[in-house]
Amino acid sequence: MTMTGEEHARALTGPWWWPRRRSALFDGCLALASALECGAEGIGFARDAGIPLWAGVLFGVVAGAVLLVRRKWPVAVVLVAIAVTPAQMGFLLGIVGLYTLAAAEVPRRVIGALAGMTLAGTAVVTFVRVRQDMARGDLTLGDWFVPFAAVATALGLTAPPVLLGLYVGARRRLMESLRERADSLERELQLLAERAEERAEWARNEERTRIAREMHDVVAHRVSLMVVHAAALQAVARKDPEKAVRNAALVGDMGRQALTELREMLGVLRAGEADQVAGRRAVGVPLVAVGGAAAAAAAASRVAASRVAEEAGEGPCLSELDELVGQSVAAGMVVDLSVEGEVRAYAAEVEQTAYRVVQEALTNVHKHAAGAKTHVRLAHRVAEIAMQVENEPPPEPGSASAAGLPSGGNGLLGMRERVLALGGVFVSGPTDAGGFRVSAVIPAA
């Protein structure tokens, strides 16, 4: 396995220019071996050059010790190796220097130039040395052997370290490129994980908001009617027992309907708990599992979307509007329902939104304008459906809150959110006559 860029950077713990301590120790051993070799070869150089023996040894030791800086200044090491080639010393220095130069981040033209200089210098020195040996009679081979030995020695000392260095350098650059790609992939996966979590959180918020609107519509309307009927039951219990019985039956029916719808909502909440727990478990997983977590989040989003679609299909529709108005009439409200245009079927979410707008508007009349006459208008147009619920001023200004119905201020906000989510227009506000009007237009498509 390869390390990522950050792990590789943390692994660089060596002193000075060395990446690791063992690299510094290794270069120190190479420099020591090269210094000993050049020092030993400096003895012969001192005899041939006619200089003191200690000067030749010192020169060789200093030249060989240059190998210590091969990672920092590889060009300087190769130049020193070329400079000491006529003295017939520094074979280890030249080989290791050429390898380091070829493996380093140095332009190819510089590598080629220095390798060519080393090749030429080694060939010339070998040619002269072999020719001198043959002149002294140490070698009795033919003249062909001199150039052959010079070329073979030069190639043998130059080509292998250069080729090996080029291979190691290319592999090192490949590994660095892989590290960079791994870092980039890690950042991308981390970004995807963050975005997946944001989308999951947004979906959870949207689901909570949607369920809150549904529960508000269900509870507010049903319970408001129950409170109105209970107040009427209290008023007529002794005067008109038959009407009291009818009101009690209506309260029971509305309570059962409210409980049924609440059970459906709670069932949706319980079914969504498993998805939310799975989403929370996906947070903080190892990076290698980010892809799976993102896929799980996408699957959960698709399941939630399908659940919303199913619920939208099972929700109320415009065909139940007469029943809704009838419940308000049974509670003592005077409601005038008028329908314009050709009645036709719409998408489930459009019909459900239109129904909820009328339902919430009637609930607000029960809460804030008890006894006021209300006009409900529904218009089927070519590309849209329009609805308007307008109530007149209550007959007694002080009776607006006679039933003691609380108001949380979420009804109008929920209606607006529903209509705007479908690309419609919602307007609400008091009328000049002292009543209140709620209007909405929803695209049919």
Side-chain angles (χ1 to χ4, degrees):
M1 295 180 64
T2 60
M3 296 184 296
T4 62
E6 294 182 358
E7 294 172 345
H8 181 68
R10 288 195 297 266
L12 304 180
T13 58
W16 295 340
W17 56 81
W18 285 283
R20 301 176 185 85
R21 295 184 182 276
R22 64 181 182 182
S23 301
L25 180 61
F26 180 71
D27 286 357
C29 294
L30 283 179
L32 179 61
S34 178
L36 293 176
E37 177 206 348
C38 293
E41 293 168 347
I43 299 175
F45 171 69
R47 292 198 188 102
D48 295 339
I51 60 175
L53 186 62
W54 64 267
V57 173
L58 180 61
F59 175 75
V61 169
V62 173
V66 174
L67 199 59
L68 188 66
V69 297
R70 69 184 185 94
R71 297 178 190 264
K72 185 68 173 178
W73 297 294
V75 176
V77 173
V78 175
L79 290 176
V80 172
I82 295 173
V84 300
T85 298
Q88 296 184 6
M89 64 173 62
F91 294 101
L92 180 61
L93 177 66
I95 293 174
V96 176
L98 284 176
Y99 163 79
T100 305
L101 177 69
E105 296 291 337
V106 178
R108 293 295 179 87
R109 61 180 182 272
V110 176
I111 298 175
L114 294 178
M117 294 171 60
T118 303
L119 178 68
T122 304
V124 171
V125 172
T126 304
F127 183 88
V128 173
R129 182 72 177 181
V130 173
R131 193 171 186 82
Q132 289 176 352
D133 292 341
M134 292 185 66
R136 289 195 301 265
D138 296 338
L139 295 174
T140 58
L141 299 175
D143 294 338
W144 62 271
F145 182 72
V146 177
F148 173 77
V151 174
T153 303
L155 289 176
L157 295 177
T158 305
V162 171
L163 295 178
L164 180 61
L166 291 175
Y167 166 75
V168 172
R171 185 177 182 276
R172 187 178 299 161
R173 287 188 289 273
L174 175 62
M175 297 301 294
E176 186 65 26
S177 175
L178 292 177
R179 288 193 190 98
E180 292 178 356
R181 293 179 61 184
D183 290 341
S184 177
L185 180 61
E186 182 178 0
R187 289 191 294 269
E188 291 178 1
L189 289 178
Q190 187 66 29
L191 183 60
L192 286 176
E194 293 175 358
R195 290 181 177 176
E197 178 60 23
E198 291 176 358
R199 287 195 297 270
E201 183 64 25
W202 176 83
R204 287 193 291 269
N205 293 334
E206 287 292 318
E207 185 72 5
R208 284 194 292 267
T209 303
R210 187 190 64 81
I211 293 175
R213 286 198 302 262
E214 289 292 331
M215 294 189 69
H216 175 272
D217 292 340
V218 170
V219 175
H221 183 72
R222 302 294 182 190
V223 175
S224 297
L225 291 179
M226 290 171 63
V227 172
V228 172
H229 281 292
L233 178 63
Q234 184 180 7
V236 302
R238 295 180 180 179
K239 298 179 181 180
D240 192 350
E242 294 183 359
K243 187 175 182 181
V245 171
R246 290 194 300 270
N247 287 342
L250 287 174
V251 170
D253 292 340
M254 292 177 186
R256 283 188 290 272
Q257 293 176 4
L259 287 176
T260 300
E261 295 183 358
L262 284 176
R263 286 193 194 99
E264 294 176 357
M265 289 296 164
L266 293 176
V268 173
L269 287 174
R270 292 192 185 97
E273 287 178 358
D275 297 338
Q276 294 183 4
V277 171
R280 287 193 295 268
R281 288 178 179 175
V283 179
V285 297
L287 189 59
V288 294
V290 169
S301 299
R302 288 194 296 270
V303 170
S306 64
R307 184 182 299 130
V308 171
E310 292 175 358
E311 293 170 6
E314 297 176 357
C317 56
L318 291 177
S319 61
E320 303 174 10
L321 200 59
D322 290 335
E323 180 182 355
L324 177 65
V325 173
Q327 293 174 355
S328 296
V329 172
M333 181 187 296
V334 179
V335 183
D336 177 22
L337 174 63
S338 62
V339 180
E340 301 176 2
E342 182 181 357
V343 178
R344 62 183 188 275
Y346 298 93
E349 58 271 17
V350 174
E351 293 205 8
Q352 182 177 358
T353 300
Y355 180 92
R356 293 301 188 192
V357 169
V358 176
Q359 181 188 53
E360 180 60 28
L362 292 176
T363 301
N364 286 340
V365 176
H366 283 292
K367 289 181 179 180
H368 307 291
K373 185 176 181 180
T374 305
H375 303 275
V376 178
R377 300 181 181 88
L378 187 68
H380 299 274
R381 300 171 183 171
V382 177
E384 60 189 16
I385 178 173
M387 65 225 65
Q388 183 182 87
V389 179
E390 180 180 351
N391 63 275
E392 299 176 359
E396 298 180 7
S399 64
S401 302
L405 293 173
S407 176
N410 295 318
L412 294 176
L413 179 62
M415 285 190 285
R416 179 182 297 275
E417 290 177 351
R418 286 178 179 275
V419 174
L420 295 183
L422 297 179
V425 178
F426 179 84
V427 179
S428 63
T431 62
D432 295 337
F436 198 83
R437 180 188 299 119
V438 173
S439 302
V441 178
I442 304 175

